[in-house]
Amino acid sequence: DAKTTQPPSMDCAEGRAANLPCNHSTISGNEYVYWYRQIHSQGPQYIIHGLKNNETNEMASLIITEDRKSSTLILPHATLRDTAVYYCIVRPSFNSGNTPLVFGKGTRLSVIA
Amino acid sequence: DVKVTQSSRYLVKRTGEKVFLECVQDMDHENMFWYRQDPGLGLRLIYFSYDVKMKEKGDIPEGYSVSREKKERFSLILESASTNQTSMYLCASSSHSMTAPLHFGNGTRLTVT
């Protein structure tokens, strides 16, 4: 079972910041938060991940609350090409191997002109 | 950039046929994964592999098998295709690093008639 909760859909005006929330209230201390997105007819694309500090890369920023029970993915200036399903995933604890990601249903972001 | 290539974008097979879905990655990744994606059910893990000749069952392995004879290639096999295996199949790879992101191919849409 996915360990995250996301709203099923969101709209964002083109050029504005898109803020996608994710709740992961049962996250463990050594679990990372990952974000992927899937544009229609393509495979999922990695965006960003973090443990407890905020992270930023060329695609997005990840803000994780101090208690780590929730996070927000920020696309600073959304474009029509950012229309996609966004998945927030908590990486299961590392054991003897590289444990696979479990995808939930994600948030369908629609960027509107 | 990592490239994960799936041999076919679209495939149509008949019930009872043996079906091979091929996936090749060019980044010397140790880990490879097969997911299927269905409307309303999201991505579900079928099988994965940590190394050559190694395989692990995912959440829905029934009706499938896999082969990993070379590091760069991971094959998904439907021994006797059935209509309920009509789906989008996605292959992914990653390095052994604990935080390594998955890189996905663009998928094979399989229709079993």
Side-chain angles (χ1 to χ4, degrees):
Chain A
D1 289 338
K3 296 171 66 174
T4 63
T5 304
Q6 298 177 254
S9 64
M10 291 181 64
D11 292 338
C12 177
E14 190 178 20
R16 303 295 294 270
N19 296 283
L20 293 98
C22 180
N23 182 288
H24 32 80
S25 57
T26 60
I27 193 169
S28 299
N30 61 352
E31 291 181 314
Y32 286 75
V33 179
Y34 284 75
W35 283 85
Y36 284 74
R37 73 180 184 184
Q38 188 172 21
I39 295 169
H40 184 60
S41 297
Q42 296 182 21
Q45 175 191 23
Y46 165 78
I47 302 173
I48 199 167
H49 73 276
L51 183 62
K52 51 185 175 183
N53 297 324
N54 298 338
E55 302 287 345
T56 296
N57 63 20
E58 65 278 2
M59 288 182 70
S61 295
L62 174 60
I63 308 298
I64 302 174
T65 58
E66 194 168 338
D67 63 7
R68 303 213 319 125
K69 293 185 177 182
S70 65
S71 61
T72 302
L73 179 76
I74 301 172
L75 308 178
H77 304 286
T79 71
L80 297 178
R81 286 179 293 183
D82 292 321
T83 292
V85 177
Y86 287 77
Y87 297 98
C88 169
I89 303 162
V90 168
R91 186 73 170 263
S93 297
F94 181 80
N95 43 40
S96 59
N98 198 351
T99 312
L101 294 176
V102 176
F103 285 78
K105 302 228 173 124
T107 296
R108 183 172 297 278
L109 175 69
S110 298
V111 180
I112 303 164
Chain B
D1 269 359
V2 175
K3 190 152 184 164
V4 178
T5 303
Q6 295 184 230
S7 54
S8 303
R9 190 81 171 103
Y10 299 94
L11 210 53
V12 179
K13 296 292 181 181
R14 294 195 179 275
T15 302
E17 277 192 79
K18 189 168 185 176
V19 181
F20 293 85
L21 302 183
E22 306 287 350
C23 175
V24 177
Q25 48 93 5
D26 66 357
M27 281 300 291
D28 202 36
H29 282 166
E30 292 84 2
N31 305 326
M32 296 189 75
F33 307 83
W34 275 106
Y35 290 84
R36 65 177 280 178
Q37 186 171 30
D38 302 286
L41 296 176
L43 280 89
R44 293 179 292 167
L45 182 65
I46 305 171
Y47 266 99
F48 56 103
S49 169
Y50 295 141
D51 206 342
V52 175
K53 297 194 186 295
M54 295 185 67
K55 60 184 179 183
E56 299 279 346
K57 291 181 179 179
D59 299 319
I60 51 164
E62 296 79 20
Y64 303 94
S65 61
V66 289
S67 172
R68 184 112 182 256
E69 295 296 317
K70 293 185 177 181
K71 192 174 186 180
E72 68 271 18
R73 185 180 296 270
F74 192 35
S75 303
L76 180 70
I77 303 156
L78 288 65
E79 294 289 341
S80 177
S82 63
T83 54
N84 63 12
Q85 292 178 309
T86 291
S87 185
M88 170 69 84
Y89 290 88
L90 290 156
C91 174
S93 73
S94 72
S95 72
H96 254 323
S97 165
M98 179 181 163
T99 61
L102 265 65
H103 298 270
F104 282 84
N106 278 331
T108 295
R109 185 166 294 282
L110 172 68
T111 302
V112 182
T113 61

